[in-house]
Amino acid sequence: MKWLRESNRPRHILYGFLGALIGTLLFSIGLTIGKEYGDKAWSGKFDRLDLWATLIGGIAGQIVQLFIIWRIWILF
């Protein structure tokens, strides 16, 4: 799990989480691919670990979003 603390991966996790919390996991995946495409265009390097970090955050955000929706559904 050391690779998650390298570079700017905590920020990838955060943005993946927020993208899935506000949108969906598919939106978070789109953010991930777009960001990595931009990295490849500017620096020539596509980093799979950044992609995985964003997806981990996206999955967590989607789970939290579904829990919130479920709690709202139960109240009404």
Side-chain angles (χ1 to χ4, degrees):
M1 298 310 261
K2 181 181 175 187
W3 64 273
L4 283 174
R5 288 173 282 177
E6 294 174 352
S7 184
N8 64 345
R9 293 197 184 108
R11 187 165 277 178
H12 279 270
I13 294 170
L14 174 66
Y15 290 145
F17 179 83
L18 293 175
L21 183 65
I22 295 169
T24 63
L25 183 59
L26 293 176
F27 179 68
S28 183
I29 290 170
L31 289 174
T32 304
I33 292 171
K35 174 68 173 92
E36 290 308 313
Y37 177 77
D39 286 349
K40 176 125 175 84
W42 284 98
S43 67
K45 184 179 176 197
F46 186 91
D47 192 359
R48 289 183 306 114
L49 296 178
D50 284 350
L51 184 124
W52 283 108
T54 310
L55 289 178
I56 288 169
I59 291 169
Q62 187 72 65
I63 290 170
V64 170
Q65 181 197 51
L66 290 173
F67 178 75
I68 291 169
I69 290 170
W70 176 73
R71 291 298 296 170
I72 291 171
W73 184 262
I74 294 295
L75 291 175
F76 295 110

